[in-house]
Amino acid sequence: NPFNPSTTIKFGLPKDSKVVLEVYNIIGERVATLINQEMSAGYHNINFKGNELSTGIYIYRITANEFTSTKKFILMK
């Protein structure tokens, strides 16, 4: 999962939902909010560009209604 300088985050929604997708550094500071809006049901692809971030481990969290998922990814420059 290492990426440089961008990666695509893919997810599916079973129904229309308010979606929040945020990226955090390893010490828990939010470094980006990629989505904070209502989205329609279906599959979605969001491009994340880490050009302004330093090499390291990052975590993204997606929340849609009562569902939450957290995953890590690695930026290598």
Side-chain angles (χ1 to χ4, degrees):
N1 90 14
F3 68 96
N4 178 20
S6 67
T7 188
T8 301
I9 299 171
K10 300 176 183 181
F11 61 94
L13 299 171
K15 60 183 181 178
D16 293 358
S17 303
K18 162 86 182 214
V19 177
V20 178
L21 176 57
E22 298 174 312
V23 178
Y24 296 86
N25 62 21
I26 198 67
I27 61 172
E29 298 170 326
R30 185 177 59 227
V31 297
T33 299
L34 305 179
I35 303 171
N36 186 5
Q37 66 186 34
E38 286 285 329
M39 296 187 76
S40 60
Y43 293 98
H44 301 274
N45 298 317
I46 303 300
N47 192 21
F48 172 65
K49 295 180 181 169
N51 297 340
E52 298 156 13
L53 300 175
S54 59
T55 296
I57 298 172
Y58 292 87
I59 296 167
Y60 70 86
R61 181 176 68 194
I62 184 167
T63 303
N65 292 336
E66 60 278 343
F67 172 81
T68 299
S69 180
T70 305
K71 308 237 181 206
K72 72 174 183 174
F73 56 160
I74 301 169
L75 172 61
M76 294 178 51
K77 291 188 176 185

